[in-house]
Amino acid sequence: MTINTLAKGGCHREQMACFRKMEKVIVAMQDPDMGMKMRNQRLLITVIPHAMTGHDIIAWLTHKYRISEEESLHLGNMLVKYGYIYPLKEPRCLVLRPDESPYRFQTPYFWTSTRWPASELDYAIYLAKKNIRKQGELMEYEKERYSLLHKRINHTWDFVVMQAREQLRASKQRRKADRIVLECQEQAYWLINRPPPGVNNVLDTGLERPNNFSCRVTLNSDYYKREIEACRKALGRNRVKSSICLEGFLKYSEQYLNHDPIMQGCLPSNPWISDDTAHWTMNAEIVPVPTRLRVERWSFSFMELLNDAMGRREFMTYLEKEFSAENLYFWQACEDIRHGESSKIVEKVEDIYKNFLAPGAARWVNIDSKTMDKTLEGIKRPHRFVMDDAQMHIYFLMKKDSYPRYLKSDLYKNMLAKAIVPQETKKSVFPFMRRQRHSSPSPAQTATQAAEEEGLAKGAGANSAAGSHF
Amino acid sequence: IPMQTYFILSYTQVKIQSPPTPEMATQEVPLNETLAHLKTESETLKSKLEEERAKLHDVELHQVAEKVEGLGQFVMKTRRTLKGHGNKVLCMDWCKDKRRIVSSSQDGKVIVWDAFTTNKEHAVTMPCTWVMACAYAPSGCAVACGGLDNKCSVYPLSLDKNENLAAKKKSVAMHTNYLSACSFTNSDMQILTSSGDGTCALWDVESGQLLQSFHGHAADVLCLDLAPSETGNTFVSGGCDKKANVWDMRSGQCIQSFETHESDINSVRYYPSGDAFASGSDDATCRLYDLRADREVAIYSKDSIIFGVSSVDFSLSGRLLFGGYNDYTINVWDVLKGTRVSILFGHENRVSTLRVSPDGTAFCTGSWDHTLRIWA
């Protein structure tokens, strides 16, 4: 067990925000008009006033936030876990039960946020009180902590015992009902701030993050100068009216609706639900016949076509027919430079010059003279982005010219016509029988094999239902 | 600055220290004044920027979306539970093969799973705890990870059972504070990282060379995402300074910045078209920022949602936004209408990471309850 170490003088930012929000809920729950109806609850022979049942809490939350009972139960549970409401029956179990179990609001004095951070001294006094009040009342883990504390703050132990005795004496003078309530409240507080072993520590926020403006980044004049520069640029930028931009979202969602398995399902079935990998097999990187949805998607944007290996292959075939395949080869070579190893840049740039840009090159690309001049100049000192302008020129050329014509071509139309529309897998007659889940070859293995077999097609990697190796 | 003020201030400086030369007096004062001056100028410009941005905002997203059909009841369930981590799961990423994933946890373990069969295929123990970042290489042949060691390392995935993966480990990125997120760019050859040291950086995997660094956040950077754009040159990052910054990867410049969240931004994710991105924050809201309109265009929040968002991702069509929250739940939002479509229960502690699979058939969550779940 470790005592939580928290930043001196400040509560964890994230926690505080949540505490404040929960406290708002709690205050609303206790509102005289709109809050909960409280009543007396019987606990053995004592009557505790101002209590409510688990059921009441859930009903109030359901009504106030217009959420389902399941969600109310969850939210209510959080309020209990964080100590704003505590149970009267089974007080060591901080759980909200959706029944007639009685609960009570924690007094703000004992809110975790009020007494932050929980101090060692207070914990010692609490344990001492328990120990004095009734021998053997301390649980095993509490006994351990008690002796640890005794060692650690031994110098103040007299004070601890004195305080404990004093508090016990004061409480004896209260009415029994009040005494029980106070004991419950205090116990609830410590269950949260010093949770028993094995219980989730709700106050655990992981790695501590620094306050808003970390001293790790120096907010010096350079920082502000950069901010100012960025702001000036931003002020000068062209903005598009919201009404135009937002229409774009509607269009996009509509266009891709049928392609979104979570929204519309997928054919023949979603592998995660049916345990059948047919959907993946049919949509593997290279297949004899692609699915209709896939071919349709090539018409959504030039990017979609290029991002799909088969689409790109088809487009290349089309370009060959049009005698403009060098454009795509050029684009691919440029991509290779942009995303490849730094060490190969010089060599690749040279290759590109030889194959695409040099006068009389085998695959000479038609770039405007301005861009060509700039590129040739840049090649003298090759770097990762030296081909960018030329690449962009060719990309937009293909996008505006070849791509739309490809979509109108017989090549594409035939592809679309013979594309598969998978049959939906009928639900199994015996739904309880789970299909065997076949493993698939790891992409890592495929690469090793490919390296060994020296450049065989990647087709093997995508097919599933291979025997399990593991 | 009125001459009087200048002399008074310089006089104060002189009084505290030994009588300086006139030169020293000139140096001391303007520096402090300039900093405050710069700060004010920066803040003034920011307000002006917000005013400009507001001018073209003639309609709200949910208004435009009124004509769109509402979404029906959503039934999503846990289809797989991956057990094997001994401590909090902090991060996960999908392989391009749509079924494998890599996950990392607080105890230093990085595991590669075939999520479909739930088999563990590889495991690595990092020399540090709190492995907050992990990523799958586009080829599927390697994974990258890092955390409290301030580094990002790449492990080639070997299928030789006898080989110790850690032996082939390659140290790529070096920051001066914890690694919060990492991502391969379009190939296995470059990695983008974000760090608690307030910067992001682009690295060449082969040589470990720093290709570009990105300065502009005022505090820890917690997350990043690469843009799926045609020209593929930008990425967005979010940090403890409540800012979401869009960067040009080539020049290292911050090209757009948004500061509307009220607390740390834990997650950023591009909308599938690349024209916008969503963010999730400790302020319990998710927000959508349109890059062409250059402003926040939607807030996804609810009174009953109190705890912070740790992780967000879009469904394939961008119609749905999934958020993993610190109250152990997942909230599903209708991106267009701004309403909460569904709430999913199942995890027994914080949801720390959430990613939709590459083909959109499912999404995976990782939690502090030591497990990962696949939902569909």
Side-chain angles (χ1 to χ4, degrees):
Chain A
M1 183 278 293
T2 45
I3 305 274
N4 283 338
T5 42
L6 295 153
K8 277 208 169 66
C11 178
H12 198 287
R13 275 195 335 280
E14 173 207 333
Q15 285 282 41
M16 258 320 184
C18 295
F19 285 144
R20 295 286 169 248
K21 288 180 193 163
M22 282 189 275
E23 283 152 23
K24 270 210 183 108
V25 178
I26 292 294
V27 164
M29 282 175 96
Q30 294 177 78
D31 181 86
D33 300 316
M34 303 299 287
M36 301 194 43
K37 298 287 173 281
M38 315 284 277
R39 49 194 120 137
N40 294 343
Q41 292 286 347
R42 229 183 180 80
L43 194 67
L44 298 177
I45 53 170
T46 325
V47 174
I48 314 266
H50 306 306
M52 59 233 169
T53 65
H55 193 75
D56 290 339
I57 296 171
I58 291 168
W60 189 89
L61 288 169
T62 305
H63 179 254
K64 161 96 174 164
Y65 292 108
R66 282 187 280 271
I67 51 183
S68 69
E69 281 195 8
E70 192 182 11
E71 195 175 350
S72 300
L73 177 58
H74 184 83
L75 179 56
N77 233 323
M78 285 292 146
L79 294 172
V80 173
K81 276 196 170 69
Y82 277 88
Y84 289 99
I85 294 174
Y86 62 91
L88 295 172
K89 202 163 64 175
E90 278 183 73
R92 299 196 71 86
C93 186
L94 296 179
V95 165
L96 179 66
R97 290 184 212 286
D99 53 23
E100 302 304 301
S101 305
Y103 291 84
R104 229 167 169 260
F105 289 110
Q106 176 66 285
T107 171
Y109 177 75
F110 274 125
W111 284 354
T112 302
S113 55
T114 314
R115 297 154 62 80
W116 185 290
S119 81
E120 274 195 330
L121 196 61
D122 285 339
Y123 193 44
I125 294 169
Y126 168 68
L127 291 177
K129 271 198 303 191
K130 275 186 102 172
N131 204 22
I132 295 169
R133 193 163 57 215
K134 196 158 80 182
Q135 279 296 341
E137 197 180 349
L138 283 181
M139 313 210 67
E140 249 341 287
Y141 76 91
E142 284 173 326
K143 285 191 192 134
E144 280 171 34
R145 294 178 187 180
Y146 190 54
S147 40
L148 263 169
L149 279 168
H150 187 86
K151 278 193 207 113
R152 191 156 40 222
I153 56 174
N154 195 292
H155 50 286
T156 55
W157 208 251
D158 288 340
F159 176 71
V160 168
V161 174
M162 184 188 76
Q163 270 293 305
R165 288 220 165 93
E166 195 45 46
Q167 288 182 18
L168 280 172
R169 197 187 55 79
S171 75
K172 275 205 178 70
Q173 298 183 339
R174 292 198 186 90
R175 278 172 39 227
K176 183 166 180 194
D178 290 345
R179 191 164 64 235
I180 293 179
V181 162
L182 196 57
E183 276 168 21
C184 273
Q185 288 173 337
E186 198 177 17
Q187 181 178 242
Y189 175 79
W190 289 113
L191 278 171
I192 289 156
N193 285 278
R194 294 286 184 271
V199 171
N200 267 351
N201 178 8
V202 284
L203 300 179
D204 181 4
T205 51
L207 266 192
E208 194 188 306
R209 286 188 206 150
N211 290 317
N212 268 344
F213 289 84
S214 155
C215 52
R216 292 200 264 266
V217 177
T218 341
L219 300 181
N220 54 14
S221 52
D222 275 341
Y223 171 78
Y224 285 115
K225 279 184 187 150
R226 264 200 308 259
E227 290 271 285
I228 289 167
E229 185 54 39
C231 261
R232 291 225 170 93
K233 276 212 186 104
L235 277 165
R237 81 180 282 128
N238 281 331
R239 276 176 204 87
V240 182
K241 257 198 312 196
S242 288
S243 46
I244 299 173
C245 299
L246 299 177
E247 282 289 337
F249 293 125
L250 266 63
K251 285 208 181 76
Y252 191 93
S253 304
E254 204 188 352
Q255 188 179 43
Y256 281 85
L257 180 62
N258 290 332
H259 298 253
D260 189 339
I262 292 177
M263 293 281 293
Q264 294 283 87
C266 61
L267 300 171
S269 65
N270 187 323
W272 299 103
I273 301 176
S274 65
D275 286 351
D276 176 23
T277 57
H279 174 76
W280 286 332
T281 317
M282 285 184 200
N283 286 291
E285 203 169 305
I286 306 287
V287 285
V289 189
T291 62
R292 194 186 175 86
L293 273 180
R294 181 177 180 175
V295 181
E296 264 175 24
R297 210 164 149 174
W298 300 346
S299 69
F300 289 179
S301 74
F302 191 36
M303 273 281 280
E304 287 285 359
L305 179 66
L306 288 185
N307 281 342
D308 183 336
M310 279 194 76
R312 198 191 283 203
R313 200 178 64 176
E314 285 295 302
F315 188 57
M316 185 64 95
T317 311
Y318 176 73
L319 290 180
E320 303 270 12
K321 287 205 177 132
E322 298 249 305
F323 304 106
S324 55
E326 69 276 358
N327 289 337
L328 188 53
Y329 282 118
F330 176 69
W331 183 84
Q332 281 176 172
C334 292
E335 280 288 280
D336 198 30
I337 291 184
R338 258 174 16 126
H339 301 296
E341 297 99 313
S342 291
S343 57
K344 302 214 173 123
I345 291 177
V346 174
E347 162 194 338
K348 285 179 182 172
V349 170
E350 262 179 47
D351 280 344
I352 287 190
Y353 175 73
K354 263 203 317 250
N355 293 324
F356 299 99
L357 300 174
R363 285 182 167 151
W364 190 81
V365 283
N366 195 358
I367 308 175
D368 67 286
S369 52
K370 187 163 160 224
T371 312
M372 180 66 97
D373 288 342
K374 189 171 172 206
T375 308
L376 291 177
E377 190 57 42
I379 288 180
K380 294 179 183 162
R381 264 181 306 261
H383 59 90
R384 186 172 296 274
F385 305 112
V386 74
M387 290 290 157
D388 272 15
D389 286 350
Q391 182 182 8
M392 204 126 62
H393 179 90
I394 295 294
Y395 177 84
F396 283 112
L397 192 68
M398 290 191 285
K399 177 178 172 180
K400 295 218 154 69
D401 184 33
S402 315
Y403 174 61
R405 284 189 289 110
Y406 165 68
L407 293 179
K408 296 198 186 99
S409 72
D410 287 336
L411 192 65
Y412 178 71
K413 291 195 175 137
N414 288 339
M415 191 57 125
L416 197 58
K418 63 175 186 173
I420 309 174
V421 180
Q423 282 272 46
E424 185 178 358
T425 308
K426 294 273 192 289
K427 287 224 163 62
S428 174
V429 177
F430 301 101
F432 310 108
M433 252 168 61
R434 212 183 65 176
R435 281 201 171 81
Q436 201 199 357
R437 296 170 180 169
H438 295 288
S439 59
S440 71
S442 165
Q445 175 185 43
T446 322
T448 327
Q449 278 179 341
E452 285 170 7
E453 295 158 15
E454 273 177 296
L456 260 173
K458 285 194 275 181
N463 290 323
S464 64
S468 175
H469 292 272
F470 314 113
Chain B
I1 309 159
M3 282 307 258
Q4 264 181 327
T5 327
Y6 174 82
F7 278 128
I8 288 169
L9 286 165
S10 74
Y11 180 67
T12 325
Q13 295 285 13
V14 170
K15 256 185 42 176
I16 294 166
Q17 295 152 343
S18 56
T21 59
E23 218 179 65
M24 213 165 120
T26 335
Q27 272 172 2
E28 283 291 348
V29 173
L31 218 57
N32 291 335
E33 275 193 334
T34 312
L35 193 62
H37 191 66
L38 284 172
K39 187 171 177 195
T40 319
E41 192 183 339
S42 166
E43 277 158 19
T44 314
L45 279 174
K46 277 190 191 170
S47 312
K48 243 177 132 183
L49 181 59
E50 285 314 309
E51 273 173 38
E52 280 302 311
R53 282 170 162 172
K55 281 183 187 162
L56 288 175
H57 190 57
D58 50 348
V59 70
E60 295 291 335
L61 179 54
H62 63 85
Q63 288 171 310
V64 173
E66 261 157 33
K67 57 191 176 209
V68 178
E69 214 178 289
L71 296 173
Q73 262 298 353
F74 249 88
V75 178
M76 288 193 79
K77 296 191 205 160
T78 302
R79 305 289 174 176
R80 303 285 191 277
T81 306
L82 305 177
K83 296 187 183 160
H85 277 292
N87 213 315
K88 305 182 171 80
V89 176
L90 302 174
C91 187
M92 62 82 42
D93 190 19
W94 287 91
C95 174
K96 283 221 159 83
D97 77 347
K98 308 156 192 174
R99 51 188 283 172
R100 283 177 170 78
I101 64 170
V102 61
S103 60
S104 64
S105 81
Q106 184 193 344
D107 63 1
K109 283 250 168 24
V110 175
I111 301 178
V112 173
W113 317 69
D114 176 352
F116 187 71
T117 57
T118 72
N119 290 339
K120 299 190 223 349
E121 295 191 340
H122 307 270
V124 176
T125 307
M126 294 277 286
C128 66
T129 56
W130 287 92
V131 187
M132 290 170 272
C134 63
Y136 225 119
S139 68
C141 300
V143 293
C145 50
L148 278 188
D149 56 3
N150 300 358
K151 297 193 216 155
C152 184
S153 310
V154 175
Y155 291 85
L157 295 176
S158 161
L159 284 166
D160 180 354
K161 282 294 161 184
N162 296 323
E163 181 154 18
N164 180 14
L165 280 185
K168 287 244 170 91
K169 160 178 162 175
K170 201 185 178 102
S171 231
V172 176
M174 274 284 276
H175 278 279
T176 54
N177 217 295
Y178 66 87
L179 190 82
S180 54
C182 65
S183 172
F184 285 89
T185 61
N186 287 40
S187 76
D188 286 18
M189 300 301 144
Q190 293 175 317
I191 289 188
L192 193 57
T193 57
S194 65
S195 165
D197 67 10
T199 70
C200 299
L202 182 66
W203 310 84
D204 178 65
V205 173
E206 196 188 32
S207 62
Q209 192 196 1
L210 173 67
L211 298 172
Q212 185 63 259
S213 68
F214 306 89
H215 297 260
H217 277 287
D220 305 23
V221 187
L222 300 176
C223 51
L224 59 86
D225 192 33
L226 278 143
S229 78
E230 289 181 304
T231 46
N233 275 329
T234 60
F235 74 95
V236 63
S237 66
C240 284
D241 55 358
K242 312 176 201 169
K243 287 201 285 192
N245 288 342
V246 180
W247 307 88
D248 179 324
M249 266 165 42
R250 297 178 355 168
S251 63
Q253 294 299 313
C254 173
I255 49 186
Q256 268 171 300
S257 185
F258 303 92
E259 202 172 339
T260 61
H261 270 293
E262 293 164 16
S263 189
D264 300 3
I265 298 179
N266 297 313
S267 175
V268 284
R269 193 73 64 211
Y270 271 93
Y271 183 79
S273 71
D275 292 325
F277 69 89
S279 59
S281 160
D282 276 348
D283 67 8
T285 69
C286 301
R287 294 173 198 238
L288 187 68
Y289 298 90
D290 186 307
L291 297 171
R292 297 156 306 173
D294 189 35
R295 55 170 290 126
E296 172 194 289
V297 293
I299 304 182
Y300 305 98
S301 68
K302 213 167 159 15
D303 284 359
S304 56
I305 298 177
I306 287 175
F307 291 81
V309 189
S310 63
S311 193
V312 296
D313 204 354
F314 287 98
S315 74
L316 191 136
S317 65
R319 180 67 192 269
L320 300 172
L321 180 67
F322 300 102
Y325 288 70
N326 291 340
D327 67 355
Y328 323 170
T329 64
I330 295 138
N331 284 291
V332 185
W333 300 90
D334 180 334
V335 170
L336 303 178
K337 290 192 180 281
T339 53
R340 201 270 307 269
V341 171
S342 186
I343 179 168
L344 304 173
F345 301 98
H347 277 298
E348 291 164 16
N349 206 324
R350 288 197 190 193
V351 177
S352 53
T353 179
L354 185 156
R355 297 295 297 260
V356 172
S357 75
D359 63 352
T361 48
F363 69 87
C364 178
T365 52
S367 163
W368 280 16
D369 68 6
H370 309 187
T371 70
L372 293 123
R373 286 173 181 241
I374 308 285
W375 306 76

